Amino acid sequence: MMKNLRINKELYRDGLRQLKIVGIMGMVIYCLSAILTSVGIYINSSYYRQAEMMDYPGNMGIVMEIAPEGLPIYEFHWILFTAFPILVPVMTLILFNFLNQRNASDFYHAIPDTRGTLYVSYCAAILTWLFAIIGVSSILAIAGISLIPGYFVVWSTLPKSLFIIIATCILVMGGILIAKSLTGTFMSNLAVTLMVLFLPRVFITAVMAIASDMLGFVVWDFSNSLMNGRYNVLVGIILTIFGGSNPLGYWSSGLYTLVLGLIYLAIAYVLFVRRKSESAGHAAISNRLQMVFRLAVSLAVCLFPIYFIAYNGTHSYGWSDSDLFMIVVFYVVAVVVYFIYELITTGKLRQFKRMLKGLILLAVGNVLVLGILWGIYGSVVNFQPSAEEIDYIRMLSNDRNYFQSQTDEIKISDEKVAEVTAEALKRTILRRTHTGETEVVVDETYYSKYAQEEAQVRTVHKEVAINCGLKTVYRELIYTEEEWALVAKCLSEMEEYRQVYCTLPKVSEEGRIYSYHGWISNEQAIKVYEVMKDEVHEVDFAEWYMGVTDFYSRDYLDAICVYTEIPGTGNYRTVNLPILDSMVRTKECYLEQMGVEQISEEEKTQWEMIRSSIRGVDPEAGSDKNTEETQVNYNNINVDIRVLDETWEIVDEVYFNLEGYHDGKSWVVNRWGHLSDEEQEEKLLSLIDKLYAGEFGRAETAGEMLMITVRCSYELDGGNYVDMTNNFCVSLTAEVETEIEELFGYQLDSYLGH
Amino acid sequence: MIKAENVVKKFEDFTALNGISCSIPSGCIYGMVGSNGAGKSTFLRLVTGIYRADGGTITIDGEPVYENPSAKGKIAFVPDELYFLPGATMDRMAKLYQAIYPDFDTARYNRLAEAFGLNRGKQVNTFSKGMRRQAATILAISCKPQYLFLDETFDGLDPVMRNLVKGLICQDVAERNATAIITSHSLRELEDTCDQLALLHKGGVILESDIGDLKTSLFKVQIAFREEYGISKFEGMPLLHFSKKGSVANMIARGDREALVAKLKAMNPLLLDVLPLTLEEVFTYEMEALGYAFHDVLEVES
């Protein structure tokens, strides 16, 4: 068969000739789009260039400079993304259309060359037009952007985007050719193409989702496995609608798609060579295959009722009427789809009796899928080893962070850990199988054993690997905090663990350090981090370990976020390091840093501009009373005020949001928080005035204080934007206290215990 | 030489050819007749490598045809349902043939297109049925194939064009020792063109013979005697058919014509007349001899 993998130059040329009209039209449209997009960008850029030397309201004389803007290919040559859903299908359907017509099929099968050569030559013709259209139009687009001042092509994304587009085109072409080799009418071509391109992923994704829901405590990490939908660019693009990660950003997605596309082309080659000419005009090359197609489509619909049955069958909720109704409805839909597929692809229900028999196979398929799911479920749920049976466990981190990458291979053989883990596993299985993730307890056994315990005890959810000899399973277990503290204590006695968790990451040039809440600058965060690196050796390890590994469910003054490389992976992730209450020196340094923030002159000026803009607008007056010069198109001022007690615990916080826009009629002010009228609003603005003017004293490192964050996002007349954030750490003096109390509308004393 | 041995072809549950065997020598015009569904077109598609046989073998000059460019290079096929590229003119189709068939003779194509008076710049699909068939035949003949397969070729052609096409086929056979295989429902159409004929029925070859032998092997005798007589009077003579109306008997006989006539003359008949048979009649009586009812087998043009 491989010897037929050659191109017949004459057939290739003929393929090019047959695609001439589509090819030339495609070339013209793609090139025109490339040119017009560049022209459009140029017109927009001219508009902004005119605004280059614009004064802010109030003649402040500040000049805005527009920095050169890099454009990725999907912005300046977006039409390339229509190549795989439009251009390739059209060309493939045209050139291989002979497979749908009996006389045409006979003609091509009579030519003095092998089918393999015909296939390869015509595929080459399609790819030639495709590359020509993509290549020429891309060159034009790049040239166009290069000529526009103020814009440049982001070269780094160019090869990746082009590679991904071409890989997807090949995948689509392969899918269509498989479908065309298996079917012989346009409608069946279409239906089977969609099946080939999407159905495998639909099944994988659905079964994964069902299994994940049935067994919520099993750790399914598909993020880097080929099971992740983003690897298939075509499916990935659709999954982005449902929140999936964008496949266009990954070389690996392009590579996977290309390999899959080449496999599809190879399968299509084999099918094409084996295809009988007499299949042209038939919905499928055999009755059996037609039945397979019908069953595949119907089975995809059946996944919905399978989900209901599998989930309800493995949880003790019982069957609600609505569930039963949904199951019946979906099965009816599946049967309707079964017949509709036949009707659409063949135009008739020719073999109705045989089709009815096929429904038995559909039922068998359902039972089979359910059987497999229940088999998996039973095997997972019944795996409940005793402490003695556990050889060791490994602690995994839910977010695969810096420390976990170094500790997930450390084996913990401690008997106490095994004991609490075995107990946690039993608890987790009982809880998840009876109540799912969130439902209340309904089972008596469960209630008597665990419900009250959980109602009173805080729990910690941890991912662990449990090893019992040859078998290792990965579970997300529910530990009580007491159990988890015991685990942490055991780990604190393990030097390997201590070393990893107490050696904080060094930060390279690519790395970054910043405050979790954003209350201090990055430079200040670095200073705090330096103290933390030293002090972490002095704090209780168990407390530190629990803080790091259970970061999100605890409250801290702040945390230092370190964006660093995960050792040995080349990947960068952020690790959150909490400032524990026991880290006295770190905490002190942190508050010192908060107290020394300086407001720049430029920021002060910007606030002045915003202030003058607000004053120029009468919130109550209609648009006719507000002149063009004074109207504000959009603004948003957020003020977050947090009150810290002597121990620097946040005892109160309140947020104010001033939002305005000009709707052509009136200036509207929306208030949130405790502002109730214009008077209060003016008080808040005065507070900000004083903050920027530096009228309040900076906070001391000890004692009560206010942490105030002011964020201004403002569009001034003429289209200029101001976007700034400032943090103020203010000592809670009597003056400030009075002012804040007036603003809040209640006594701070009640909180601070004055 | 084309050789088919026990060829079987099935379409799902339907058997189109059931163990067909025949051999077609080079340099002849081979006719195939048969009713609808007899398997003529299926046989041609198997011989041209379009279909793959489910059983048996088909070779051209000793080579298998299916997926064999070398054997298929010797073939041109004009099917019953013609195919032209969408919107293509004759010249565009000629380019396609030129690309596909290495021996395509452009000069011959130009000459033939001129002779047939077809508009080469007009879309072929706008041609009449007969003109499309002419176009397809011109293109096929221009390929100068060693084996030319024509399925219902004369269907839709007017008498002038039929003769022209027949002449071209005969010319190719005579000048280049090409082989033409022609299928038709009409025996008369093939009678004056073919060297050999095969009759297909329900997926099998019922009869295969040289056309000259067929015509001379059987003859009709009209005979009458004074006395009463029956078929027993002719015992020992090679008769295929005997019927009598009054004193005149009609007989179809096979074998040595002169010897039989001499024997009959010796019986002193009142009337003795020997008449030639048409091909249709030959087939009728041969079929009778094989146990087939003629009218079930052939659709004879009136």
Side-chain angles (χ1 to χ4, degrees):
Chain A
M1 196 176 278
M2 294 303 283
K3 69 181 179 187
N4 295 329
L5 268 176
R6 64 176 186 85
I7 293 177
N8 177 328
K9 279 183 196 168
E10 297 301 333
L11 280 173
Y12 167 70
R13 278 185 201 149
D14 184 72
L16 292 178
R17 263 199 295 269
Q18 286 194 45
L19 293 175
K20 196 167 67 181
I21 294 175
V22 178
I24 290 171
M25 276 174 64
M27 183 73 83
V28 169
I29 292 169
Y30 277 57
C31 290
L32 212 57
S33 162
I35 293 165
L36 290 178
T37 305
S38 298
V39 170
I41 291 170
Y42 176 74
I43 291 168
N44 279 343
S45 87
S46 303
Y47 171 77
Y48 284 112
R49 267 146 51 86
Q50 282 174 5
E52 235 174 62
M53 295 294 289
M54 253 186 335
D55 289 343
Y56 283 88
N59 293 323
M60 298 301 288
I62 292 175
V63 174
M64 276 187 77
E65 283 188 15
I66 298 172
E69 188 181 344
L71 293 176
I73 192 162
Y74 51 79
E75 278 189 25
F76 67 84
H77 198 21
W78 54 271
I79 200 167
L80 280 188
F81 290 89
T82 63
F84 52 85
I86 298 174
L87 191 62
V88 169
V90 169
M91 289 201 290
T92 313
L93 288 172
I94 285 177
L95 203 53
F96 284 89
N97 189 47
F98 66 86
L99 293 172
N100 287 358
Q101 297 167 274
R102 189 69 181 269
N103 56 347
S105 178
D106 286 354
F107 176 85
Y108 279 96
H109 286 106
I111 61 171
D113 214 327
T114 60
R115 290 157 196 231
T117 306
L118 174 66
Y119 175 86
V120 174
S121 305
Y122 273 11
C123 282
I126 293 171
L127 290 175
T128 304
W129 271 114
L130 183 71
F131 288 140
I133 292 168
I134 290 178
V136 172
S137 62
S138 296
I139 290 167
L140 272 177
I142 291 165
I145 294 302
S146 305
L147 290 172
I148 303 171
Y151 289 95
F152 63 91
V153 174
V154 181
W155 292 100
S156 59
T157 62
L158 194 67
K160 185 163 62 183
S161 299
L162 287 176
F163 173 69
I164 287 172
I165 288 166
I166 288 167
T168 314
C169 286
I170 288 171
L171 176 70
V172 171
M173 191 171 132
I176 294 172
L177 286 173
I178 287 177
K180 285 202 78 81
S181 300
L182 292 174
T183 58
T185 63
F186 177 73
M187 289 311 291
S188 57
N189 291 164
L190 198 67
V192 176
T193 299
L194 294 174
M195 267 189 237
V196 171
L197 292 176
F198 295 106
L199 217 50
R201 278 285 165 184
V202 166
F203 274 112
I204 291 171
T205 309
V207 170
M208 274 163 48
I210 294 171
S212 297
D213 272 10
M214 282 169 76
L215 299 159
F217 57 96
V218 176
V219 178
W220 312 89
D221 182 16
F222 300 118
S223 56
N224 288 316
S225 86
L226 294 179
M227 305 286 247
N228 190 322
R230 76 153 169 85
Y231 278 97
N232 182 323
V233 174
L234 204 59
V235 176
I237 286 172
I238 292 169
L239 289 180
T240 51
I241 300 167
F242 305 103
S245 54
N246 188 353
L248 301 175
Y250 303 93
W251 278 101
S252 54
S253 300
L255 189 66
Y256 173 86
T257 305
L258 178 67
V259 170
L260 189 64
L262 292 175
I263 291 170
Y264 274 16
L265 281 179
I267 293 170
Y269 171 84
V270 174
L271 294 171
F272 183 88
V273 169
R274 292 187 175 185
R275 188 182 199 267
K276 293 176 177 176
S277 181
E278 58 263 36
S279 304
H282 293 282
I285 58 173
S286 73
N287 288 335
R288 280 183 187 173
L289 196 63
Q290 176 72 356
M291 187 187 280
V292 170
F293 293 150
R294 284 195 303 262
L295 289 172
V297 175
S298 307
L299 200 57
V301 179
C302 288
L303 289 172
F304 291 99
I306 283 173
Y307 171 80
F308 283 111
I309 295 169
Y311 193 80
N312 283 325
T314 52
H315 290 75
S316 61
Y317 302 135
W319 297 83
S320 70
D321 288 345
S322 64
D323 285 346
L324 289 171
F325 176 72
M326 290 304 282
I327 289 167
V328 171
V329 166
F330 276 117
Y331 272 126
V332 169
V333 171
V335 173
V336 170
V337 166
Y338 179 82
F339 286 104
I340 283 180
Y341 178 84
E342 183 71 9
L343 204 60
I344 287 173
T345 54
T346 64
K348 53 201 165 192
L349 296 172
R350 199 158 39 103
Q351 294 168 320
F352 191 74
K353 278 187 181 173
R354 191 182 283 186
M355 286 176 67
L356 282 177
K357 285 180 190 168
L359 288 176
I360 297 168
L361 288 177
L362 185 64
V364 171
N366 273 267
V367 172
L368 209 65
V369 175
L370 275 169
I372 292 168
L373 287 169
W374 264 316
I376 295 169
Y377 177 83
S379 134
V380 170
V381 165
N382 289 328
F383 183 76
Q384 296 185 28
S386 63
E388 292 75 33
E389 289 169 315
I390 296 174
D391 282 1
Y392 61 85
I393 66 160
R394 290 186 284 118
M395 289 292 163
L396 312 173
S397 168
N398 299 20
D399 56 358
R400 296 279 181 275
N401 67 22
Y402 174 83
F403 299 113
Q404 182 266 320
S405 66
Q406 299 174 76
T407 59
D408 60 1
E409 293 302 323
I410 297 175
K411 294 169 183 171
I412 306 160
S413 310
D414 188 279
E415 278 176 24
K416 283 179 187 168
V417 174
E419 216 166 275
V420 294
T421 300
E423 184 63 16
L425 179 63
K426 284 190 180 73
R427 175 191 301 115
T428 304
I429 290 173
L430 203 56
R431 179 181 169 191
R432 293 297 174 88
T433 53
H434 282 80
T435 66
E437 298 227 18
T438 54
E439 295 293 319
V440 292
V441 177
V442 292
D443 183 78
E444 208 172 289
T445 317
Y446 174 84
Y447 185 79
S448 60
K449 192 166 183 189
Y450 295 115
Q452 284 182 330
E453 176 191 333
E454 281 201 47
Q456 294 161 7
V457 178
R458 191 169 169 271
T459 56
V460 178
H461 293 230
K462 290 308 299 177
E463 289 182 7
V464 298
I466 304 168
N467 178 279
C468 301
L470 295 173
K471 191 172 182 180
T472 303
V473 295
Y474 299 86
R475 303 284 183 264
E476 189 187 75
L477 301 184
I478 304 165
Y479 289 95
T480 62
E481 195 163 58
E482 191 184 341
E483 285 169 344
W484 187 239
L486 193 144
V487 171
K489 190 171 176 297
C490 289
L491 297 180
S492 67
E493 287 161 11
M494 293 175 69
E495 189 50 35
E496 285 167 289
Y497 253 88
R498 289 187 68 91
Q499 203 167 350
V500 168
Y501 275 87
C502 294
T503 310
L504 303 190
K506 288 177 184 170
V507 183
S508 62
E509 280 180 14
E510 291 84 2
R512 204 152 57 90
I513 294 177
Y514 55 96
S515 143
Y516 183 74
H517 291 311
W519 296 339
I520 56 174
S521 70
N522 294 359
E523 289 76 20
Q524 291 168 324
I526 290 169
K527 288 178 185 165
V528 175
Y529 183 55
E530 288 304 319
V531 179
M532 178 189 266
K533 275 205 293 193
D534 188 42
E535 194 175 20
V536 73
H537 297 280
E538 297 160 17
V539 296
D540 176 53
F541 177 79
E543 189 192 354
W544 172 243
Y545 176 76
M546 288 170 76
V548 173
T549 54
D550 196 25
F551 176 78
Y552 292 105
S553 43
R554 288 155 198 273
D555 294 323
Y556 302 102
L557 171 67
D558 200 348
I560 301 298
C561 304
V562 182
Y563 181 72
T564 185
E565 185 188 352
I566 295 181
T569 65
N571 295 329
Y572 279 75
R573 293 272 170 82
T574 300
V575 54
N576 299 318
L577 306 168
I579 300 173
L580 304 177
D581 281 345
S582 55
M583 290 179 157
V584 180
R585 285 192 288 127
T586 309
K587 214 167 167 180
E588 206 169 282
C589 176
Y590 179 85
L591 291 170
E592 265 176 23
Q593 293 304 317
M594 283 204 69
V596 299
E597 180 170 7
Q598 296 296 319
I599 305 301
S600 69
E601 285 305 312
E602 188 185 344
E603 285 168 327
K604 286 179 183 173
T605 311
Q606 281 181 344
W607 171 249
E608 281 302 318
M609 287 193 302
I610 293 166
R611 198 68 168 92
S612 65
S613 177
I614 294 169
R615 281 177 182 140
V617 177
D618 178 2
E620 299 299 319
S623 59
D624 52 335
K625 291 184 182 174
N626 286 311
T627 63
E628 282 292 323
E629 287 75 27
T630 55
Q631 282 173 3
V632 178
N633 296 321
Y634 169 80
N635 73 68
N636 196 348
I637 301 174
N638 295 300
V639 181
D640 304 344
I641 302 175
R642 295 176 187 80
V643 186
L644 273 66
D645 68 7
E646 291 171 308
T647 59
W648 307 317
E649 285 283 322
I650 297 170
V651 291
D652 196 10
E653 45 195 332
V654 68
Y655 310 100
F656 297 97
N657 180 24
L658 298 182
E659 191 176 328
Y661 60 90
H662 177 244
D663 66 356
K665 287 181 181 175
S666 61
W667 166 245
V668 182
V669 176
N670 297 323
R671 299 181 187 89
W672 181 62
H674 294 279
L675 288 180
S676 56
D677 55 30
E678 261 185 79
E679 196 181 334
Q680 272 191 312
E681 180 188 321
E682 187 53 43
K683 281 179 185 170
L684 181 70
L685 292 173
S686 300
L687 175 73
I688 300 171
D689 284 344
K690 287 178 184 172
L691 287 168
Y692 276 100
E695 288 182 18
F696 293 117
R698 297 290 178 192
E700 298 297 324
T701 54
E704 303 103 5
M705 66 178 77
L706 291 178
M707 284 167 50
I708 304 173
T709 306
V710 179
R711 281 188 295 274
C712 301
S713 179
Y714 236 81
E715 183 189 0
L716 298 170
D717 185 39
N720 295 334
Y721 281 93
V722 173
D723 196 351
M724 63 177 186
T725 301
N726 289 110
N727 294 298
F728 302 89
C729 196
V730 178
S731 290
L732 199 53
T733 60
E735 183 197 352
V736 174
E737 196 173 332
T738 310
E739 195 149 344
I740 295 300
E741 278 175 3
E742 280 180 14
L743 207 54
F744 275 90
Y746 53 72
Q747 297 293 309
L748 291 176
D749 289 17
S750 60
Y751 286 91
L752 300 180
H754 286 174
Chain B
M1 184 180 182
I2 299 170
K3 199 166 184 184
E5 284 180 338
N6 295 319
V7 175
V8 177
K9 180 65 188 172
K10 290 177 181 172
F11 298 105
E12 297 277 349
D13 303 331
F14 173 68
T15 304
L17 292 180
N18 192 10
I20 200 168
S21 295
C22 65
S23 57
I24 303 168
S26 297
C28 81
I29 303 176
Y30 190 89
M32 292 186 112
V33 287
S35 56
N36 293 329
K40 303 183 298 290
S41 299
T42 303
F43 181 75
L44 287 195
R45 282 173 170 82
L46 282 162
V47 181
T48 50
I50 295 170
Y51 291 170
R52 176 182 235 161
D54 296 314
T57 55
I58 299 173
T59 56
I60 286 186
D61 297 337
E63 286 186 295
V65 190
Y66 189 79
E67 283 288 82
N68 183 355
S70 131
K72 285 166 93 175
K74 300 171 185 171
I75 294 170
F77 177 40
V78 182
D80 51 348
E81 285 178 49
L82 303 170
Y83 171 72
F84 301 99
L85 291 173
T89 62
M90 264 191 82
D91 282 347
R92 170 70 185 93
M93 287 306 296
K95 269 188 184 169
L96 177 63
Y97 273 72
Q98 209 174 353
I100 294 169
Y101 293 94
D103 294 331
F104 188 82
D105 186 339
T106 311
R108 190 175 199 199
Y109 161 73
N110 291 334
R111 274 201 311 279
L112 289 175
E114 201 66 36
F116 276 80
L118 295 173
N119 184 347
R120 293 153 56 178
K122 195 178 172 189
Q123 284 188 17
V124 186
N125 288 328
T126 62
F127 284 3
S128 70
K129 183 184 172 187
M131 286 163 81
R132 281 205 298 273
R133 195 151 282 282
Q134 287 170 42
T137 310
I138 289 168
L139 289 163
I141 288 174
S142 301
C143 295
K144 292 171 72 177
Q146 198 57 43
Y147 295 92
L148 179 64
F149 294 88
L150 303 157
D151 195 1
E152 306 291 352
T153 296
F154 305 115
D155 188 21
L157 293 185
D158 63 49
V160 179
M161 287 303 163
R162 281 184 200 193
N163 287 334
L164 190 53
V165 171
K166 283 177 186 176
L168 283 168
I169 295 166
C170 292
Q171 192 184 1
D172 260 29
V173 171
E175 289 176 5
R176 296 193 300 107
N177 197 36
T179 306
I181 293 94
I182 307 170
T183 67
S184 178
H185 293 104
S186 169
L187 271 169
R188 283 191 185 162
E189 208 62 73
L190 302 180
E191 191 173 358
D192 56 347
T193 316
C194 296
D195 302 313
Q196 279 202 322
L197 269 177
L199 178 65
L200 271 72
H201 183 59
K202 292 183 179 172
V205 174
I206 288 168
L207 181 75
E208 185 189 23
S209 177
D210 186 282
I211 207 156
D213 292 346
L214 266 180
K215 278 186 174 178
T216 54
S217 66
L218 297 187
F219 48 92
K220 191 183 206 176
V221 178
Q222 281 189 330
I223 197 163
F225 293 95
R226 282 177 202 284
E227 68 276 14
E228 269 301 309
Y229 65 97
I231 191 167
S232 55
K233 192 176 176 71
F234 309 101
E235 208 172 306
M237 291 183 191
L239 297 187
L240 290 181
H241 174 84
F242 177 87
S243 64
K244 188 172 167 242
K245 270 191 181 172
S247 60
V248 179
N250 284 307
M251 301 187 297
I252 305 295
R254 186 205 299 275
D256 188 340
R257 180 176 170 153
E258 299 306 320
L260 185 69
V261 170
K263 265 189 189 177
L264 291 172
K265 271 186 181 170
M267 293 166 87
N268 291 319
L270 270 179
L271 168 74
L272 177 63
D273 209 356
V274 181
L275 303 167
L277 288 176
T278 63
L279 209 52
E280 285 170 24
E281 287 171 313
V282 171
F283 266 101
T284 305
Y285 296 118
E286 288 283 9
M287 291 306 96
E288 271 189 22
L290 290 167
Y292 288 94
F294 174 82
H295 294 294
D296 290 346
V297 179
L298 286 176
E299 292 172 9
V300 182
E301 285 186 352
S302 60

